[in-house]
């Protein structure tokens, strides 16, 4: 029962992130954190739902989760009622709706901290799982959870290129210069900024840049994302670095973590490699990954390009930090024209000022 409630709220938050929150600085990220907390909890709820009949403590635990899920839904619902009721489609209306955020005095900060409070509650509830000995019930073999599905959707691939990119030339050039610099330079270049700012898009521009292609001898792109599985990230890096055959892959799968980390480390010391770590969410993730990278001591020409929405990660990794700027009015207009007008034959768009 609680599992069903939580599933519903997760879906609801997902829709909110896609349709509404992405225009509202800072909020979508918080909603995503909350959503992840619920997703991490989901697998345990089946067990808890069954056990709550006999165990008072578990019953209270489950009730608290249900309440937190409802609280989250309430915050979102209130927000949508106040801001997004004028939803009729069209660019004009989208802009009007978000203009209301200012007009109606909706306090984004307040919404953000309400969401944060619930997320902290959820996270505390999750830490008490072990106390009650609640077990995770995984989906049947082959079936993947909503969380895993979302991870797949979010995965970034270096070969998928955005067609309509604007305003990134200067930043790309600057970062390329850092990466290919011969004299002393940082071994890590971090691109830091809020979700949706264009970090991955910029990293792709750099990864495919002519000067970068000519300078480095091997290239690896890995998408880290929210749930960082160190072992599988390392395996993926090693497989890509050596273009592993099936036999080599089987060998790698049998190796110990420290052996894999050492191999990656030595390969980067020997050759000139560029490794992109896309979307590192936490310092812990970076701390656990970094054993495989030659960051200090002996000279190496290999470089790491990482993207993160967490400023602490960028600072902690101790490299050159770049924060992309949001598109300015001209760039936004250029992008809008590229997407909405060009390449759509037979459509004439009448664009007028929105008056917000
Ligand atoms: N400079 C840009 N020009 C065109 N589209 C962009 C630009 N920056 C970002 N986008 C688009 O915005 C969306 C989010 O960008 P992304 O690079 O994934 O952001 P981040 O990695 O910071 O979360 C993508 O669909 C991307 O194509
Ligand atoms: Mg990204």
């Amino acid at each position: 029962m609680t599992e069903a409630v939580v599933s519903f709220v997760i879906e609801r938050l997902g829709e909110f992130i896609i349709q509404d929150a992405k225009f509202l600085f800072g909020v979508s990220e918080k909603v995503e954190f909350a959503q992840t907390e619920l997703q991490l909890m989901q697998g345990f709820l089946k067990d808890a739902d069954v056990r709550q009949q006999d165990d008072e403590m578990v019953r209270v635990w489950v009730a608290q989760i249900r309440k937190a899920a409802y609280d989250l839904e309430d915050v979102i619902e209130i927000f949508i009622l106040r801001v997004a009721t004028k939803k009729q489609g069209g660019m004009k209306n989208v802009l009007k709706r978000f203009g209301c955020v200012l007009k109606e005095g909706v306090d984004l900060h307040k919404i953000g901290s309400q969401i944060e409070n619930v997320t902290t509650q959820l996270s505390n509830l999750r830490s008490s799982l072990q106390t009650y000995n609640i077990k995770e019930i995984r989906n049947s073999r082959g079936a993947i959870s909503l969380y895993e599905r979302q991870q797949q959707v979010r995965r970034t691939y270096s070969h998928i290129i955005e067609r309509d990119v604007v305003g990134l030339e200067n930043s790309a050039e600057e970062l390329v210069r850092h990466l290919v610099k011969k004299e002393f330079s940082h071994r890590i270049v971090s691109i830091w900024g809020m979700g949706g700012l264009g970090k991955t898009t910029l990293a792709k521009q750099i990864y495919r840049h002519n000067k970068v292609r000519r300078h480095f001898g091997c290239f690896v792109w890995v998408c880290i994302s929210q749930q960082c599985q160190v072992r599988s990230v390392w395996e993926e890096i090693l497989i890509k670095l050596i273009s592993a055959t099936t036999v080599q892959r089987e060998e790698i799968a049998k190796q110990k973590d420290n052996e894999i980390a050492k191999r990656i480390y030595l390969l980067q010391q020997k050759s000139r490699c560029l490794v992109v770590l896309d979307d590192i969410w936490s310092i812990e993730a970076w701390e656990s990954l970094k054993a495989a990278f030659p960051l200090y001591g002996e000279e190496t020409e290999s470089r790491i390009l990482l993207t993160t929405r967490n400023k602490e990660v960028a600072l902690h990794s101790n490299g050159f930090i770049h924060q992309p700027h949001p598109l300015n009015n001209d760039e936004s207009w250029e992008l809008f024209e590229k997407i909405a007008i060009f390449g759509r034959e037979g459509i004439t768009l009448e664009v007028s000022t929105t008056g917000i």
Side-chain angles (χ1 to χ4, degrees):
M1 163 64 192
T2 307
E3 201 222 346
V5 171
V6 166
S7 296
F8 175 76
V9 175
I10 289 172
E11 299 268 354
R12 187 79 194 83
L13 296 182
E15 282 165 24
F16 179 75
I17 291 166
I18 293 164
Q19 290 172 12
D20 297 300
K22 69 178 176 185
F23 293 99
L24 303 167
F25 296 146
V27 169
S28 67
E29 210 160 90
K30 294 198 169 95
V31 178
E32 278 188 47
F33 274 123
Q35 197 192 25
T36 308
E37 268 305 330
L38 286 178
Q39 281 164 339
L40 291 172
M41 202 87 90
Q42 217 176 8
F44 296 92
L45 287 173
K46 275 200 184 80
D47 185 31
D49 267 342
V50 175
R51 290 206 13 225
Q52 62 173 321
Q53 276 123 37
D54 311 319
D55 190 330
E56 175 65 14
M57 301 277 271
V58 174
R59 199 184 60 72
V60 173
W61 185 83
V62 169
Q64 282 173 329
I65 291 175
R66 206 169 36 228
K67 180 173 179 312
Y70 281 137
D71 284 350
L72 258 180
E73 210 198 349
D74 284 348
V75 179
I76 306 290
E77 290 296 331
I78 290 166
F79 173 78
I80 292 173
L81 271 179
R82 291 184 65 182
V83 178
T85 40
K86 302 165 185 72
K87 202 188 230 174
Q88 280 150 31
M91 194 62 192
K92 198 167 163 176
N93 278 312
V94 170
L95 293 176
K96 249 190 191 155
R97 274 163 63 202
F98 292 101
C100 297
V101 175
L102 304 173
K103 265 196 203 150
E104 294 181 17
V106 174
D107 188 342
L108 283 185
H109 181 71
K110 200 164 150 208
I111 292 172
S113 53
Q114 281 170 345
I115 296 173
E116 244 169 20
N117 284 346
V118 184
T119 312
T120 314
Q121 276 172 36
L122 284 169
S123 159
N124 292 339
L125 286 166
R126 191 156 58 85
S127 10
S128 50
L129 273 168
Q130 278 175 335
T131 325
Y132 306 138
N133 199 23
I134 297 168
K135 305 248 165 24
E136 184 170 24
I137 300 181
R138 297 211 128 252
N139 287 352
S140 55
R141 263 174 87 82
I144 61 169
S145 68
L146 178 72
Y147 182 71
E148 286 162 326
R149 270 210 315 273
Q150 198 184 40
Q151 291 287 101
Q152 280 181 358
V153 171
R154 285 217 185 121
R155 224 180 140 79
T156 60
Y157 299 94
S158 59
H159 67 275
I160 298 177
I161 306 301
E162 275 82 11
R163 265 183 336 141
D164 305 309
V165 170
V166 298
L168 293 181
E169 299 81 10
N170 292 344
S171 307
E173 284 292 337
E174 186 196 348
L175 296 186
V176 167
R177 263 202 309 281
H178 267 281
L179 287 169
V180 305
K181 213 155 60 175
K182 280 262 167 10
E183 65 272 26
F184 175 81
S185 63
H186 295 95
R187 293 187 188 173
I188 303 180
V189 169
S190 308
I191 304 174
W192 158 66
M194 66 177 182
L197 187 60
K199 303 179 293 296
T200 302
T201 312
L202 176 58
K204 280 187 192 174
Q205 299 290 307
I206 296 165
Y207 192 72
R208 293 172 49 83
H209 199 285
N210 277 340
K211 287 182 195 158
V212 166
R213 289 282 136 185
R214 283 199 299 268
H215 181 81
F216 292 97
C218 47
F219 299 86
V220 175
W221 177 288
V222 270
C223 175
I224 312 292
S225 208
Q226 218 160 339
Q227 190 82 320
C228 174
Q229 310 279 353
V230 178
R231 167 79 193 199
S232 58
V233 171
W234 280 348
E235 279 191 24
E236 190 178 344
I237 295 177
L238 185 54
I239 286 168
K240 287 178 176 167
L241 276 176
I242 62 171
S243 305
T245 59
T246 318
V247 176
Q248 284 171 319
R249 279 170 194 242
E250 283 163 12
E251 237 174 70
I252 291 170
K254 285 184 208 139
Q255 283 189 309
K256 292 194 183 118
D257 288 0
N258 63 336
E259 288 167 341
I260 295 186
K262 192 169 174 192
R263 282 182 75 183
I264 299 173
Y265 187 103
L266 294 175
L267 282 164
Q268 288 175 95
Q269 250 187 352
K270 219 167 59 188
S271 320
R272 212 186 261 173
C273 310
L274 175 65
V275 179
V276 179
L277 303 172
D278 187 35
D279 212 9
I280 300 191
W281 279 63
S282 65
I283 294 181
E284 295 79 62
W286 166 246
E287 280 296 315
S288 10
L289 287 171
K290 77 177 192 187
F293 298 96
L295 300 172
Y296 312 102
E298 278 176 59
E299 195 41 60
T300 168
E301 290 189 88
S302 291
R303 296 287 177 264
I304 299 162
L305 176 63
L306 68 83
T307 81
T308 181
R309 53 188 81 194
N310 182 342
K311 190 176 182 182
E312 297 303 316
V313 171
L315 292 171
H316 199 77
S317 61
N318 210 12
F320 177 82
I321 301 176
H322 173 83
Q323 186 186 10
H325 67 84
L327 296 183
N328 62 30
N329 285 351
D330 289 343
E331 290 162 344
S332 307
W333 192 250
E334 187 187 334
L335 181 59
F336 176 71
E337 280 185 330
K338 275 187 172 172
I339 294 173
I341 301 172
F342 298 127
R344 284 164 177 67
E345 280 171 39
I347 296 176
T348 38
L349 279 185
E350 207 177 290
V351 183
S352 64
T353 51
T354 60
I356 57 168

